[in-house]
């Protein structure tokens, strides 16, 4: 495995197993991070309209393409429908803004960011249409539990290629992994480092010391060896290099079992308490605002 390693999604599209996340990053920093990551060999970028930085990500990608660091067909770009854009017509219309901000003419993967109850089935129909039109190569969901994912499977001929959910040593989502494997859905793990917190676990320290790697490297290796598509976020170039340098060692069965045993089934962040699923709670309905993004979200 290395930065070029890909998994084959259920529609035949190949997706890198490792990439860069850019949540909580303003546009200017996102542009720099994306450019630096591509320079260091990253092939996949994960953003979302909700992060308020698609425009910055787009600028980073454009600069990397213009400078000849990578070809568009070798780059894999993911974005997500934000909650306020859910529903068939709105999701179709607002997708144009995402493409425009990213300065792309197609996306590699487009996800429903959160399963807004009462709307996600219609949103899924819109994603199926976008895929049919050739505007997105693969479609999937994010933050879906087994119950909501099974509603999609029962109501659509198109099975989501990916479910992007929290996955790290403290939140290993065993039930979802088993369900996804059964239905040929790939799991993409967000907050692979537990938003920074998983790195201080003593078991991680032991495994890291055994292989002479950093705690972050031990965790990320565990994630990819678990078959999970992995997208650590960092804005620091040195950490980008560190995080992507996980291909020259392998965790053995004892290491994997040790890390599996520290699963606390504990989310690193908020979840239901923030009411992301509801149409009447508006926390999840807005994009993050950055000082340099005001003009970017008037679509
Ligand atoms: N679908 C969803 O709902 C959802 C939710 C959350 C996240 N995501 C996606 O998943 C990506 C990753 O998740 P995340 O951003 O929550 O957390 P994460 O990748 O688990 O952790 C990021 C944190 O760890 C730090 N860090 C990164 N590499 C490090 C290293 N080698 N050593 C020490 N610290 C390090 C980063 O700080 P610095 O930047 O300062 O280095 C940052 O504070 C997001 O950016 C986003 O693309 C999706």
């Amino acid at each position: 495995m290395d930065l070029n390693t890909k998994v084959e999604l259920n529609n035949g599209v190949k997706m890198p197993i490792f990439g860069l996340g850019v949540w909580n990053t303003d546009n200017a920093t996102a542009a720099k991070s994306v450019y630096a990551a591509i320079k260091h060999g990253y092939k996949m970028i994960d953003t979302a309209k909700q992060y308020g930085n698609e425009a910055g990500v787009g600028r980073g990608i454009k600069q990397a393409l213009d400078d000849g660091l990578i070809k568009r067909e070798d780059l894999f770009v993911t974005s997500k429908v934000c909650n306020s854009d859910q529903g068939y017509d709105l999701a179709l219309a607002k997708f144009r803004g995402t493409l425009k901000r990213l300065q792309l003419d197609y996306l590699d993967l487009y996800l429903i960011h959160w399963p807004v109850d009462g709307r996600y089935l219609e949103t899924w129909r819109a994603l199926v249409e976008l895929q049919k039109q050739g505007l997105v190569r693969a479609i999937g969901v994010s933050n879906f539990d087994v119950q909501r994912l099974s509603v999609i499977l029962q109501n659509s001929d198109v099975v989501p290629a990916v479910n992007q959910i929290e996955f790290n040593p403290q939140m290993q989502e065993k039930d979802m992994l088993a369900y996804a494997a059964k239905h040929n859905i790939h799991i993409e793990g967000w907050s692979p480092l537990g938003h920074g917190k998983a790195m201080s676990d003593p078991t991680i320290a032991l495994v890291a010391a055994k292989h002479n790697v950093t705690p972050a490297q031990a965790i990320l290796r565990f994630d990819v060896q678990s078959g999970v598509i992995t997208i650590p976020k960092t804005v620091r170039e040195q950490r980008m290099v560190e995080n992507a340098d996980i291909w020259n060692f392998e965790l053995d069965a004892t290491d994997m079992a040790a890390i599996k045993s520290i699963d606390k089934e504990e989310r690193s962040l908020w979840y239901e308490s923030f009411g992301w699923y509801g149409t009447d709670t508006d926390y999840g309905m807005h994009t993050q605002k950055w000082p340099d993004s005001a003009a970017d979200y008037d679509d």
Side-chain angles (χ1 to χ4, degrees):
M1 278 198 288
D2 60 25
L3 278 174
N4 295 308
T5 300
K6 292 179 176 154
V7 296
E8 185 167 332
L9 303 179
N10 62 18
N11 67 345
V13 165
K14 298 203 169 117
M15 173 172 185
I17 196 164
F18 192 89
L20 181 79
V22 296
W23 181 40
N24 271 333
T25 309
D26 63 34
N27 278 290
T29 312
K32 276 191 213 142
S33 303
V34 165
Y35 186 85
I38 294 172
K39 187 179 77 185
H40 289 294
Y42 282 64
K43 302 287 190 298
M44 189 252 284
I45 309 291
D46 179 83
T47 185
K49 179 174 176 183
Q50 188 108 44
Y51 303 165
N53 62 20
E54 287 177 324
V57 169
R59 290 200 287 276
I61 291 173
K62 181 162 189 324
Q63 198 191 337
L65 294 172
D66 287 352
D67 290 355
L69 297 188
I70 197 163
K71 291 192 195 116
R72 172 65 187 95
E73 59 269 30
D74 295 328
L75 190 62
F76 194 102
V77 184
T78 301
S79 194
K80 315 185 189 88
V81 185
C82 77
N83 289 4
S84 53
D85 293 348
Q86 291 217 23
Y88 184 76
D89 293 332
L90 208 51
L92 282 183
K94 296 288 185 173
F95 173 73
R96 302 284 164 179
T98 283
L99 269 193
K100 193 171 128 205
R101 284 184 291 277
L102 287 166
Q103 302 186 53
L104 298 175
D105 46 20
Y106 69 90
L107 273 190
D108 297 281
L109 178 65
Y110 200 36
L111 305 176
I112 301 179
H113 204 150
W114 290 86
V116 173
D117 288 330
R119 295 197 199 168
Y120 65 79
L121 263 182
E122 286 301 292
T123 310
W124 183 248
R125 277 210 309 123
L127 265 56
V128 170
E129 178 58 28
L130 290 170
Q131 187 176 37
K132 238 184 240 163
Q133 291 178 15
L135 293 167
V136 297
R137 295 175 64 225
I139 53 177
V141 297
S142 176
N143 298 305
F144 273 56
D145 54 18
V146 167
Q147 190 258 324
R148 290 174 172 92
L149 198 45
S150 63
V151 170
I152 297 228
L153 265 54
Q154 283 155 20
N155 287 280
S156 175
D157 293 338
V158 183
V159 177
V162 167
N163 185 15
Q164 185 185 111
I165 52 171
E166 180 173 358
F167 181 87
N168 54 57
Q170 281 148 4
M171 185 66 210
Q172 298 185 27
E173 291 274 17
K174 291 190 189 78
D175 292 348
M176 177 51 77
L177 259 65
Y179 182 85
K182 197 167 137 199
H183 295 280
N184 200 10
I185 298 167
H186 269 88
I187 293 298
E188 181 173 16
W190 62 250
S191 290
L193 299 170
H195 209 55
K197 283 197 298 189
M199 285 178 286
S200 53
D201 186 282
T203 302
I204 298 296
L206 284 174
V207 173
K210 175 174 159 187
H211 292 277
N212 200 19
V213 297
T214 65
Q217 289 172 321
I219 292 173
L220 295 170
R221 182 74 205 189
F222 169 77
D223 293 351
V224 294
Q225 273 187 230
S226 301
V228 170
I229 301 164
T230 298
I231 46 170
K233 173 260 173 186
T234 179
V235 296
R236 297 161 210 261
E237 212 167 322
Q238 206 178 338
R239 286 181 177 171
M240 270 173 213
V241 174
E242 173 191 332
N243 292 349
D245 184 15
I246 54 169
W247 317 112
N248 296 323
F249 68 101
E250 194 168 348
L251 303 184
D252 60 28
T254 313
D255 305 325
M256 291 298 284
I259 300 181
K260 278 184 183 157
S261 77
I262 62 172
D263 185 9
K264 295 184 188 155
E265 299 190 23
E266 185 180 287
R267 298 188 194 284
S268 64
L269 301 167
W270 30 254
Y271 214 62
E272 282 83 354
S273 59
F274 277 77
W276 289 88
Y277 294 147
T279 49
D280 53 345
T281 52
D282 76 353
Y283 185 87
M285 306 299 269
H286 300 290
T287 53
Q288 279 183 290
K289 297 281 183 247
W290 302 104
D292 60 348
S293 67
D296 291 331
Y297 293 91
D298 54 0
D299 60 336

